[in-house]
Amino acid sequence: MTATSLRWGVLGTANIGRAVNPAIHAAHNSTLVAVASRDAATARAYAEQWSIPRYHASYLDLLTDAEIDAVYIPLPNGLHKEWTIRAAEHGKHVLCEKPLAMTADECREMHDAAVAHGVKLMEAFMYRFHPRTERVIELVHGGALGTLRAIRSAFTFRLTQPANVRFDPALGGGALFDVGCYCVSATRTIAAAEPVEVQAWATYTDRDVDEQLAGSMRFASGLVAHFDCALNQEQRQFYDIGGTDASINVEYAFNPGQRELSLVQRGVNRDERHEEFASIDQYRLMVEHFADCALNNRPVRQYALESAAKMTVIEALYRSARDG
């Protein structure tokens, strides 16, 4: 590892690279060195497309590359645990796509592997790094809304390719895993607590994958959160937070792209306060945070045990959807 720049490899050629690859290139403390695919031609084409200097024809070849310090893993959900642990065993720091794993137990195994081999492991929830998200957390936890009473959120989009991995049960497909996890993450972050009870209802594809799920979470404080997620609707992404003294509304909540954003706070007297946020690349902010933690041995956000707590909630929601 160099003193000022983390050298990255990308483990896989998923489409999410269109956001993360440019972010690594743009980050002041990162260098994108190599990409790996199980097919040499695919790896070469991807490297050329994203201006990556080197490519490897297998994931293991990339992990044994001595000039790589960290890997970004955008593989299907069902492969996260295996390749995160193998990367840790080869001494590579790991930024892994969400959800970190398919169960809470898997998250804990990945955490243990990272600790045992002295590497950083973080789940790639990029929305947590946007200045607007940080401002929401500051307002809520600072008491600006009074006592929290309700959170409502949604993340949906329409997926029209039946062969997409998001519809593959063996690879961790499903609306809750893919986009509902954002709603669960945001709710837990805003509440700064774990729910004591959940309920969920889902509709399933002919491959028994949830294409639409709605859920509720009840907290010991009396806070109740409702959300819906789907792979069969036009895009919606927002959250609303209701408190005894004020409320907050956030549109384009999770993946807004690089557009100017606003935050609307409404008080008890119907007065409105608007805060504006300039266009920014939240993926770059995430990459720079992770690289700083790896280079300077600082704790990461969204560490694996936090991910395990989130997966405990997601597993409970799935159980509720199945058994009522």
Side-chain angles (χ1 to χ4, degrees):
M1 200 154 41
T2 63
T4 59
S5 186
L6 192 71
R7 300 171 299 181
W8 290 80
V10 178
L11 212 62
T13 56
N15 286 335
I16 189 66
R18 69 184 183 275
V20 178
N21 294 336
I24 298 174
H25 279 309
H28 70 82
N29 54 1
S30 296
T31 305
L32 185 48
V33 174
V35 64
S37 173
R38 289 171 292 187
D39 178 79
T42 300
R44 179 178 180 178
Y46 192 88
E48 292 175 351
Q49 178 184 4
W50 295 108
S51 302
I52 302 173
R54 299 204 305 274
Y55 66 90
H56 294 282
S58 78
Y59 300 153
L60 188 58
D61 284 350
L62 186 144
L63 295 183
T64 57
D65 188 333
E67 295 184 15
I68 292 174
D69 308 312
V71 294
Y72 166 61
I73 299 181
L75 298 170
N77 302 332
L79 300 177
H80 288 179
K81 173 191 166 184
E82 174 188 357
W83 287 102
T84 291
I85 291 176
R86 295 183 76 170
E89 291 171 345
H90 283 83
K92 310 301 185 188
H93 303 288
V94 180
L95 176 65
C96 182
E97 265 305 321
K98 51 76 203 165
L100 184 65
M102 295 179 64
T103 68
D105 284 344
E106 288 188 354
C107 292
R108 285 186 280 267
E109 288 182 57
M110 295 155 75
H111 167 79
D112 290 347
V115 171
H117 295 283
V119 298
K120 302 296 181 182
L121 169 60
M122 189 177 84
E123 187 174 24
F125 270 119
M126 71 294 182
Y127 84 96
R128 289 278 299 271
F129 296 89
H130 199 288
R132 183 178 62 172
T133 305
E134 295 180 329
R135 177 59 173 155
V136 169
I137 295 169
E138 177 187 27
L139 288 168
V140 172
H141 295 176
L145 275 63
T147 302
L148 293 187
R149 295 301 189 193
I151 301 173
R152 184 172 59 100
S153 60
F155 198 173
T156 68
F157 74 104
R158 188 179 179 192
L159 186 60
T160 59
Q161 302 86 21
N164 190 282
V165 295
R166 293 176 178 87
F167 288 134
D168 189 335
L171 295 176
L176 180 54
F177 272 152
D178 193 62
V179 283
C181 64
Y182 284 90
C183 300
V184 175
S185 171
T187 297
R188 290 178 56 259
T189 300
I190 292 163
E194 301 299 334
V196 296
E197 180 183 12
V198 305
Q199 287 187 299
W201 304 264
T203 58
Y204 300 92
T205 68
D206 56 6
R207 300 179 69 185
D208 205 31
V209 168
D210 55 302
E211 62 180 351
Q212 181 176 341
L213 185 143
S216 297
M217 293 170 270
R218 181 177 66 83
F219 294 78
S221 65
L223 168 68
V224 176
H226 305 281
F227 75 95
D228 67 276
C229 57
L231 303 177
N232 60 2
Q233 299 177 25
E234 289 305 308
Q235 186 171 121
R236 298 153 57 234
Q237 49 167 314
F238 70 86
Y239 57 82
D240 295 324
I241 311 168
T244 54
D245 299 337
S247 65
I248 284 177
N249 172 256
V250 176
E251 294 288 342
Y252 301 107
F254 305 113
N255 192 13
Q258 295 188 45
R259 54 161 54 91
E260 295 181 355
L261 298 172
S262 63
L263 169 63
V264 182
Q265 183 178 348
R266 295 180 175 88
V268 291
N269 297 319
R270 298 185 180 181
D271 57 311
E272 290 192 358
R273 178 180 176 183
H274 292 251
E275 294 186 50
E276 307 301 323
F277 297 82
S279 170
I280 198 166
D281 183 357
Q282 60 185 1
Y283 289 95
R284 178 180 61 80
L285 297 178
M286 175 182 68
V287 167
E288 289 178 345
H289 166 81
F290 183 80
D292 176 64
C293 293
L295 291 166
N296 298 294
N297 194 26
R298 295 181 174 133
V300 301
R301 299 185 196 175
Q302 296 144 203
Y303 63 101
L305 292 184
E306 180 185 349
S307 301
K310 181 187 82 275
M311 286 308 304
T312 298
V313 179
I314 288 175
E315 289 181 78
L317 286 161
Y318 269 135
R319 287 199 304 273
S320 176
R322 290 293 186 182
D323 64 22

